[in-house]
Amino acid sequence: MGLPVKLTQAQKAAAILVAMGKPSAGRLLKFFKQEELKSLIEAARLLRTIPQAELEKVVREFENEFTEGAGLLDSADSMDRILTDSLSPEEVSVLMGHSEPPPVSMEEVWRELEKLDADRLAQVLAREHPQTVAVILAHMAPQAASKVVLVLKKTQRGEVMRRMASMGQVPPAARIVIEKRIAEILRAEANGRDASAGQARVASVLNEMDKAQIDEVIGDLEEAGSEDVEAIRGRLFTFEEVVHLPQKARVALLDGLATDLVTLALRNAPKDLAEAVLSALGARSRRMIEAELAMPADGIPAEEIAQARRRIAAAAVALSQQGLFELPSAQKAA
């Protein structure tokens, strides 16, 4: 029998990780500090073959049954594979001391700024000092900057353009301040998008309810002090609100919907709602649906009718998000 393999604590930990394999070890690596990871890597590079008996002792020492079978070979290579599958090349390079962390590219910040909608960016810049706006526009791509200039308020536009015309070379220190401000603007916009996504999720849940249930939940949100209530209201739509859509919007909504879906949704509907829907259909489709509605509907479950109405309401929300028309709730919230 050979002599027992003497392993350091770092080598034992590396052996356990290699024995676990890439999927499990990769998840664990993200919980280690940088210095701990570096120690693990160095320890793994010194490992070669670990006899099964010694590996079992290590496993028992950690009080886990991670592995069984043959001993471990080429631990350094295995650790490399785990690292490269779990961390980015830059992270591995920094971890091994081969390079410094890559600096944040401010050029990327400018590019992200130019991706913002011109109207939205003009609204944000309206709150900034004219000199700040002048510097920002001067360093944006001309095509993107021109779109923003055209939607600036006239009182602000003249002052900003005057400062751009008389602007010399921007000192590096001033540019750093401006770029920091741009980063803050981008973060604020990202947070705004996150809020919008959350509002959309809540609205999508509410749109699966009937009007009485929606009103109850909205009331709960108001009592809870939610600041998103009005924004959520602007995303809500029920089938009953079809009567509040303009004729052009109703035609756009019903165009392409299956006649059997529309027929099912109109079962037991009030006369004004039925007329609002039928008036937006072609003569042939209207006659077919009216003929179907004239037949008894005793065997149709109420839930099927409600589901058909929700599908049409969901189609209206989707079309409004595409900009084809505005929901009545959005007009009220504005």
Side-chain angles (χ1 to χ4, degrees):
M1 293 182 63
L3 294 174
V5 177
K6 292 184 179 181
L7 301 175
T8 66
Q9 289 298 101
Q11 288 174 323
K12 291 176 183 177
I16 293 288
L17 286 169
V18 173
M20 290 171 68
K22 288 189 291 186
S24 298
R27 288 193 294 269
L28 281 179
L29 282 173
K30 296 185 180 295
F31 292 95
F32 284 92
K33 297 177 182 177
Q34 182 170 319
E35 287 304 314
E36 292 171 337
L37 277 172
K38 194 169 183 178
S39 297
L40 284 174
I41 296 169
E42 296 299 335
R45 296 196 185 286
L46 298 177
L47 289 176
R48 286 296 178 264
T49 300
I50 302 178
Q52 179 62 29
E54 294 299 326
L55 178 60
E56 289 176 355
K57 289 181 181 180
V58 173
V59 172
R60 285 196 299 271
E61 183 178 337
F62 278 79
E63 297 182 343
N64 287 299
E65 296 178 357
F66 286 123
T67 188
E68 63 185 27
L72 298 176
L73 298 174
D74 299 328
S75 300
D77 291 340
S78 298
M79 181 62 83
D80 284 342
R81 287 194 295 272
I82 292 172
L83 284 169
T84 54
D85 281 5
S86 307
L87 304 175
S88 69
E90 292 80 8
E91 290 173 321
V92 174
S93 181
V94 171
L95 185 63
M96 295 306 298
H98 297 158
S99 68
E100 294 297 322
V104 177
S105 171
M106 293 312 297
E107 293 303 321
E108 183 64 26
V109 172
W110 287 100
R111 284 196 293 271
E112 288 299 317
L113 183 74
E114 291 166 2
K115 291 178 184 178
L116 291 181
D117 177 76
D119 289 309
R120 177 57 188 153
L121 184 52
Q123 291 175 8
V124 173
L125 294 181
R127 300 190 293 267
E128 303 294 330
H129 190 280
Q131 186 65 25
T132 301
V133 179
V135 174
I136 289 175
L137 293 178
H139 287 81
M140 288 175 62
Q143 185 178 14
S146 66
K147 293 178 181 178
V148 177
V149 169
L150 290 174
V151 291
L152 286 175
K153 291 182 179 179
K154 288 187 177 182
T155 53
Q156 185 187 26
R157 183 191 304 168
E159 181 63 18
V160 168
M161 298 304 287
R162 182 185 70 79
R163 290 172 180 267
M164 285 181 66
S166 61
M167 186 186 304
Q169 186 70 26
V170 178
R175 185 181 172 98
I176 290 173
V177 172
I178 295 295
E179 289 174 342
K180 181 180 178 181
R181 179 61 191 136
I182 292 173
E184 292 172 355
I185 290 172
L186 292 174
R187 280 196 298 271
E189 286 300 299
N191 291 336
R193 286 194 294 271
D194 290 344
S196 177
Q199 293 158 3
R201 283 193 296 272
V202 173
S204 66
V205 171
L206 294 181
N207 280 326
E208 290 297 316
M209 305 177 185
D210 61 38
K211 192 174 187 311
Q213 293 169 327
I214 290 173
D215 291 341
E216 181 181 350
V217 176
I218 286 291
D220 293 339
L221 281 171
E222 289 175 331
E223 288 182 12
S226 173
E227 298 178 354
D228 300 313
V229 172
E230 291 307 315
I232 292 170
R233 282 187 194 275
R235 297 172 180 269
L236 298 179
F237 185 80
T238 61
F239 180 70
E240 291 76 9
E241 291 179 290
V242 167
V243 296
H244 300 305
L245 287 175
Q247 178 71 2
K248 185 177 180 181
R250 292 201 299 270
V251 171
L253 170 60
L254 295 166
D255 182 37
L257 290 180
T259 55
D260 57 346
L261 176 66
V262 177
T263 303
L264 184 56
L266 287 178
R267 292 286 181 184
N268 304 323
K271 288 185 178 180
D272 61 336
L273 176 57
E275 180 56 32
V277 172
L278 293 171
S279 66
L281 297 170
R284 182 172 179 275
S285 296
R286 176 167 184 157
R287 286 195 300 270
M288 289 175 58
I289 292 175
E290 286 178 328
E292 288 288 332
L293 292 175
M295 299 175 66
D298 297 337
I300 301 177
E303 178 52 34
E304 287 188 14
I305 296 174
Q307 182 60 33
R309 293 178 177 182
R310 285 195 290 268
R311 285 180 60 187
I312 294 176
V317 172
L319 291 175
S320 72
Q321 291 173 344
Q322 295 171 21
L324 294 184
F325 55 78
E326 194 173 31
L327 297 178
S329 53
Q331 296 173 351
K332 294 176 184 177

